Amino acid sequence: MRRGDYTWAYLMIAPTMLGTLLFHIWPVLQSVYLSFTTWNSFGNYKWSGLDNYRRMAHDAEVWSSLGNTVVFTLITVPVGLALSTIAAVLLNQKIRGIPVYRTLYFLPVITMPAAIAMVWKWLYNGDFGLLNELLGLFSSAKVQWLTNPGLALYSTAAVAVWSAIGYNMIIILSGLQGIPSHLYEAASMDGAGGMRKFFSITLPMLSPTFFFLSVISIISTLQTFELVFMMIGANSPVIGRTQTIVYDFFKYAFLMNDKGYATSIAMLLFAIILVVTVIQFRVQKKWVHYE
Amino acid sequence: MTMNRSKFQVKWFIHLLLAIGAFIMVVPFAWMILTSLKSIGEATQVPPAIFPRSYHWENYVNIFGTLPFMSFYWNTIVTTIAKTAGQLLFCSLAAYAFARIEFPGKNVLFIVLLSVLMVPQQTYQIPLYLIMVKMNWLNTLTALIVPGLTSAFGTFLLRQFFMSLPKDVEESAKIDGCNHFVIYYRILLPLAKPGLVSLAILTALWSWNDFLWPIIVNNSPDKMTLSAGLASLQGQYETDYPMLMAGSVLATAPMLILFIFLQRNFIEGIALSGTKG
């Protein structure tokens, strides 16, 4: 019977392991190799040692993309989590219309990012955009949301926040519903007010949820691409101030056919994600409370 | 009395905050639909009209003439269904083995599988693209489907779900001499329906909205998905906002309609993806 068990197990995992090996693990190993190669315009490549990494170290464009990506992440993740927490706490109250609010907040999560980018590009339009029309009720200045070099990155980040609130909110809401009510009852008996309860019960009890959300939001935000590609685009004068590291990757890999350099950029991204995630797991012991 | 009154005020304050948030969530969708029904002149008049004077439904008709939107739909639907079916089958099989059978190398193989979850997609995209080139799969649906037939995430999600299910029925089935495939198919799958539904929804959603991979492997218009089609629409009609918005409505409507009907499942699926571990 044991033998038979093994056969079944290997048969059952075979397709998944094969797919993972062929389409993930083997390509990752190849990427490591390709990041040490230089490509010519005919698609041939040769070993060039650390050239790509040396070039990257002195490439002002990559550094500025990295800076943009970091700023983008540092805005999007905390602001997104704060707004999602507020939404989740409000939706956890006993009031009418909760399902309606929840549905509406959730709409962006299921909407195609390419479409979201187009709609917001239109809303942000400096001349005919709805946003400037609404602001026009208060002032006559036309804000160039996506073409002002100092502003475009923040306008893009705002859309990322808008898109992510629904997802975070649902996860936080299910975290909130898992907090045992006797904790709040005990706190009420001790005379704690609403704010006190929020900071001494709700936040600590939610810390595992926040930890999970911050890990996955940072990983996914570091990979921002669609919004920049669709809302700003290669021909925009502000692309240099908004392009992310994955945008650079895409540009070198598929527009400029410099696949060796592109893989080294991908390796840099991988390294950053790895380091940030490891740091988060280390630091969590200081602030995450598990029961 | 005063207590009731302040409670009443708090409730209205909560409604006010939630309504402001809901307004910000909904306006882009409303504006997308309204713009899609205007003429270009009307869309760009100052000050703008909120509602179109006359409804230009022809924007929706014209779009099918300028780009093969029917092919976009077909490609997106076929890709989504194939990937979802593949992942339901292969992930649940692997998840069963990892959750219920002891076999040599199990832990190592599971860790190998999980390690994939840590790796950003850009890390394997170029070699994967080169594989597609070598197989002659560029500009075919195969390139969109095959790499997405299995998934480490789905296997992990279902394994966690299977681990939470009781074992006693299986034990007696085993004593009766049922093999693992029978136990998987007859006992575990029916019990795991909520997990399978969640995985199906997440896979379908991600597949429908996927962007980077489709624009890399398929650039011939008759093999594009909807999201890649939107990118090329924007490239061609940069200032025809009603046309761009009509395209956005067409691309997002099927998923939004599905969401409205299966709302509870969508939200449970998303919540499940967050409570793993």
Side-chain angles (χ1 to χ4, degrees), chain A residues 55 60 81 111 114 135 144 148 159 167 186 220 247 255 270 273:
Chain A
R55 175 179 166 198
L81 282 180
T111 309
L135 289 178
Q144 300 300 320
N148 177 342
V159 180
Y167 176 80
S220 68
Y247 185 90
L255 302 180
F270 183 25
I273 287 179

Side-chain angles (χ1 to χ4, degrees), chain A residues 247-269:
Chain A
Y247 185 90
D248 269 4
F249 163 81
F250 176 80
K251 187 175 92 175
Y252 282 107
F254 299 105
L255 302 180
M256 300 171 70
N257 210 15
D258 195 347
K259 293 196 168 57
Y261 194 45
T263 25
S264 66
I265 294 175
M267 287 297 143
L268 174 71
L269 174 68

